[in-house]
Amino acid sequence: MKFTILFVIALCLSIIYSVRVSPSSDNMASASFSLLSDPFLQLPTSHSVRVVWFTEFLDDRSYVKYGSQLEKETDATTTELSRVREDQNSLVNQEYIQPTVRDIWRHEAIITGLTPNQRVPYQVVSVKDKEVISSKQFTLASNPTPDKPLKILLTSDHQLMPMTTANLQKVVETVGRVDAVFFAGDLVNIPDRASEWFDDSRGGAFFPGLQGRANYQLNGTTYKGGEIIQYAPLFTALGNHEVMGRFSTTSSLKDQFSDSIPRSVAKQLYPQEDLKNNSFNTDTYEEIFTLPESQPGGEKYYAVTFGDIRLVVLYVTNMWRSPSNEPNVKGRYQESIRYLDSPENWGYGQHIFEPISRDSLQYRWLKAELANDAFKEAKYKIVMFHHPPHTLGGNIVPPYTDPQAVIQHDQNGRIQSVKYEYPIEQDYIIRDLIPLLETAGVQLVYYGHSHLWNRFTSESRMQFLESSNVGNSYGAHLGDKKRPVPPNNLNYAEVGNPNGLEPIIPNIAPLQDEKGNDLSYIASNDITVFSILDTEKGTVSSYRFDTRQTASEVIKFDEFKIIAPDSHSG
Ligand SMILES: [Fe+2]
């Protein structure tokens, strides 16, 4: 309780002592209001769907008009986001000198009485001081019936990266309107920075990109993104960039993002009342979205039926820390020598935010979920999470397991060094999760995190796809391009996929190296990639677009079928 009160006081102080310098603040009184985002669709059920939008003013009333003549109205419920702020590093049209609370209200209306497969026009309205502020008209729909052919966009790792808005624009230009978006995490960079969601001044924030309201310059072209989530429900997984670290009123938002420690450590250092502010939290993500929920995991992990797809979304992501072994680095393999005497300042390596090991609550929930009829009877069985089980990318090292501390003391008992090891045989994704998914007949495992495109197939024909070369790439590790790992340690693979499967060369139009050899991946900061699941054909098709040539065509370069593991027909 004491810490909750302290948190509230800290938030108030940060408002009182913050300095906002707005070039247009003198005109604010006469400025008319506008919506901070377009509406987007969430949580469709068989006869309903939710419409969500945001404003920077506390409305007098907000509602959705819908129906063929927009003749019906449903009032929205309004809440204020509790943790979104800006700071000195925010790219917005105001200057901030320290973390400063930003007032943003979220409006959500539940539209009921819908008929599956019938789209209905809608428009959102917020009223403030007798001024009526409306969005454009879009269409909404409830959950489609199982026989309805669907196109689903598989995307991840937007993070306001340079090619993201071009990518989303090309999605709409190439396949038209999709029916849903499956997003495998890392939506923004720092989840509590409001402008990354709404109005980063570079023009490529999260919502503008997915709503066709972006304004991003790349190679001489202005990209608007695509009007996607006004029409299609968004299902997301938590990535490491949705997790905010320890709360502070003074340190930068980036430092707070990086300052997470495991809950188990926080329990030893801080009173029970407010562990969240002293470890890590996903509050902003959970406040922005209305996702399906599971009994133990809430929105953090869940399962949902959409058309003939059963989608299982897991919370499988860990803290990212630098691979550097420079003495002052709080890294994945070591603590900084500056803080050896103060464990409250340690980083605790790449700690896992939510366990997925075989004895964990999430694993037990998953096992029960995979055994129920909704999963077993679904035509398509898809599992989505952020961390890669198989990849050529950098982030598969170190193995996905709890960091094991090796602490050396001198003869007086003072700590000399803290190192972390990650035994590969204890990788929870490979040891526990993947065998469970294989046994259950999952057809597609979809993930991101390394920022490249590559895919794999297991012996039982379970498909693995990483389609995260959306906004940028962190490269593929083959040949001379080695991961930065501790030397002579079999736990850490310098190149290749450490978990065994070989990447599959795209079967339509692979890229080639300088010698003309087909490449099994796309890892490019010039070529952006998106993937579309087509439930009518049972295929996942991947497309690439070269952002260096505005007039260049979008090229379908790979297509594979999702085949049930017990079927060997393809
Ligand atoms: Fe990530």
Side-chain angles (χ1 to χ4, degrees):
M1 188 62 190
K2 191 173 77 181
F3 269 70
T4 307
I5 293 167
L6 279 175
F7 173 64
V8 172
I9 292 170
L11 269 175
C12 293
L13 283 173
S14 80
I15 297 170
I16 293 165
Y17 290 110
S18 66
V19 177
R20 296 187 190 197
V21 184
S22 168
S24 60
S25 56
D26 289 342
N27 302 324
M28 286 301 277
S30 60
S32 63
F33 296 104
S34 58
L35 304 180
L36 185 58
S37 77
D38 258 359
F40 68 107
L41 302 183
Q42 294 272 265
L43 197 62
T45 69
S46 52
H47 297 286
S48 75
V49 71
R50 307 206 180 198
V51 178
V52 178
W53 70 103
F54 298 89
T55 60
E56 280 196 276
F57 53 83
L58 176 57
D59 59 323
D60 299 324
R61 184 190 171 210
S62 285
Y63 57 101
V64 175
K65 294 164 69 173
Y66 66 102
S68 55
Q69 305 298 318
L70 299 179
E71 70 280 9
K72 300 178 198 169
E73 289 182 7
T74 296
D75 274 359
T77 304
T78 295
T79 52
E80 186 171 11
L81 300 184
S82 70
R83 287 179 183 266
V84 286
R85 289 161 285 166
E86 303 290 352
D87 73 354
Q88 55 273 34
N89 301 315
S90 293
L91 295 170
V92 283
N93 296 326
Q94 282 190 193
E95 284 179 29
Y96 296 86
I97 60 169
Q98 66 183 74
T100 303
V101 170
R102 191 164 161 193
D103 296 324
I104 292 175
W105 283 270
R106 177 188 194 269
H107 314 282
E108 174 179 287
I110 308 174
I111 309 303
T112 57
L114 301 171
T115 305
N117 306 336
Q118 282 187 20
R119 298 204 72 90
V120 176
Y122 80 100
Q123 177 182 48
V124 303
V125 182
S126 287
V127 182
K128 176 70 174 175
D129 298 344
K130 296 188 178 158
E131 192 177 333
V132 177
I133 307 105
S134 306
S135 71
K136 281 186 0 190
Q137 219 183 94
F138 307 102
T139 63
L140 54 75
S142 60
N143 207 333
T145 52
D147 53 345
K148 172 111 193 301
L150 304 172
K151 287 192 173 72
I152 313 283
L153 171 63
L154 307 178
T155 190
S156 75
D157 298 272
H158 288 189
Q159 298 175 261
L160 296 89
M161 292 301 181
M163 299 189 296
T164 302
T165 53
N167 182 293
L168 297 168
Q169 186 166 321
K170 292 299 162 186
V171 168
V172 175
E173 289 174 9
T174 307
V175 299
R177 197 145 290 154
V178 296
D179 297 284
V181 179
F182 295 174
F183 199 128
D186 281 6
L187 292 70
V188 293
N189 291 295
I190 294 171
D192 283 4
R193 178 175 285 139
S195 50
E196 293 201 19
W197 296 98
F198 301 108
D199 55 1
D200 183 281
S201 60
R202 290 167 291 178
F206 178 80
F207 283 107
L210 280 162
Q211 297 188 321
R213 292 158 62 103
N215 188 18
Y216 195 91
Q217 297 284 329
L218 180 64
N219 300 330
T221 302
T222 302
Y223 290 102
K224 296 280 181 195
E227 283 190 353
I228 298 172
I229 56 173
Q230 294 98 325
Y231 299 91
L234 175 63
F235 298 99
T236 55
L238 280 160
N240 52 307
H241 282 275
E242 277 66 66
V243 186
M244 200 71 191
R246 278 183 284 193
F247 183 86
S248 161
T249 56
T250 51
S251 65
S252 74
L253 292 174
K254 187 174 183 190
D255 285 348
Q256 293 178 51
F257 166 73
S258 306
D259 193 26
S260 74
I261 59 171
R263 212 84 84 192
S264 58
V265 174
K267 278 180 188 165
Q268 293 167 19
L269 294 172
Y270 302 100
Q272 181 72 25
E273 294 87 56
D274 200 16
L275 287 179
K276 186 189 281 186
N277 285 329
N278 290 306
S279 52
F280 58 87
N281 75 87
T282 53
D283 283 12
T284 294
Y285 171 90
E286 292 175 71
E287 288 176 9
I288 285 178
F289 297 107
T290 299
L291 299 167
E293 295 183 23
S294 64
Q295 197 277 320
E299 291 185 329
K300 296 187 182 80
Y301 52 90
Y302 58 87
V304 64
T305 297
F306 186 75
D308 43 22
I309 300 166
R310 187 68 175 171
L311 173 69
V312 181
V313 176
L314 301 177
Y315 184 13
V316 177
T317 187
N318 59 0
M319 187 63 203
W320 188 95
R321 295 201 185 281
S322 167
S324 170
N325 59 3
E326 290 296 316
N328 283 329
V329 170
K330 190 191 286 187
R332 61 178 70 164
Y333 300 115
Q334 64 179 38
E335 294 298 347
S336 161
I337 56 165
R338 276 185 294 178
Y339 301 123
L340 290 178
D341 292 333
S342 53
E344 70 275 17
N345 291 318
W346 292 4
Y348 298 90
Q350 296 209 152
H351 59 89
I352 291 170
F353 295 118
E354 178 76 30
I356 189 63
S357 52
R358 56 196 168 210
D359 50 355
S360 68
L361 199 58
Q362 183 175 200
Y363 182 93
R364 291 202 300 272
W365 167 81
L366 174 63
K367 197 170 177 187
E369 162 57 33
L370 299 179
N372 73 26
D373 288 345
F375 179 83
K376 285 197 291 195
E377 290 166 11
K379 184 173 176 188
Y380 297 110
K381 302 170 170 65
I382 298 176
V383 175
M384 173 169 79
F385 50 87
H386 187 60
H387 198 93
H390 295 283
T391 184
L392 301 173
N395 284 337
I396 200 158
V397 172
Y400 194 83
T401 190
D402 300 312
Q404 298 185 358
V406 180
I407 303 179
Q408 291 203 320
H409 298 84
D410 66 14
Q411 56 213 31
N412 300 318
R414 265 194 95 183
I415 293 176
Q416 290 291 288
S417 69
V418 179
K419 307 278 186 200
Y420 293 105
E421 292 179 357
Y422 304 80
I424 196 165
E425 68 276 7
Q426 291 171 39
D427 185 311
Y428 301 135
I429 297 176
I430 297 302
R431 189 191 71 182
D432 302 339
L433 176 57
I434 297 302
L436 180 62
L437 303 183
E438 295 249 31
T439 305
V442 169
Q443 293 144 328
L444 173 65
V445 182
Y446 173 58
Y447 48 95
H449 192 38
S450 292
H451 297 225
L452 80 165
W453 182 97
N454 53 185
R455 71 175 176 95
F456 303 81
T457 305
S458 74
E459 240 173 63
S460 64
R461 307 304 298 266
M462 189 160 78
Q463 308 287 340
F464 294 87
L465 174 67
E466 178 169 19
S467 188
S468 55
N469 200 145
V470 176
N472 69 318
S473 183
Y474 297 134
H477 292 279
L478 286 171
D480 294 335
K481 188 167 167 47
K482 294 177 177 167
R483 298 185 184 97
V485 297
N488 306 318
N489 190 322
L490 294 176
N491 287 316
Y492 315 119
E494 288 186 318
V495 293
N497 170 26
N499 295 328
L501 300 181
E502 288 298 319
I504 291 169
I505 291 176
N507 55 16
I508 300 175
L511 294 178
Q512 296 178 328
D513 65 15
E514 311 86 62
K515 294 177 185 159
N517 301 313
D518 290 343
L519 294 174
S520 57
Y521 60 88
I522 293 182
S524 172
N525 286 312
D526 299 310
I527 297 170
T528 184
V529 176
F530 59 88
S531 298
I532 303 287
L533 165 66
D534 182 327
T535 64
E536 188 172 27
K537 295 191 284 180
T539 54
V540 174
S541 307
S542 293
Y543 301 80
R544 58 179 160 89
F545 169 68
D546 192 333
T547 62
R548 290 167 297 190
Q549 304 154 28
T550 324
S552 76
E553 289 187 357
V554 173
I555 296 168
K556 188 201 280 193
F557 68 92
D558 182 70
E559 187 168 279
F560 65 88
K561 267 193 179 285
I562 299 181
I563 301 161
D566 56 358
S567 151
H568 294 276
S569 57

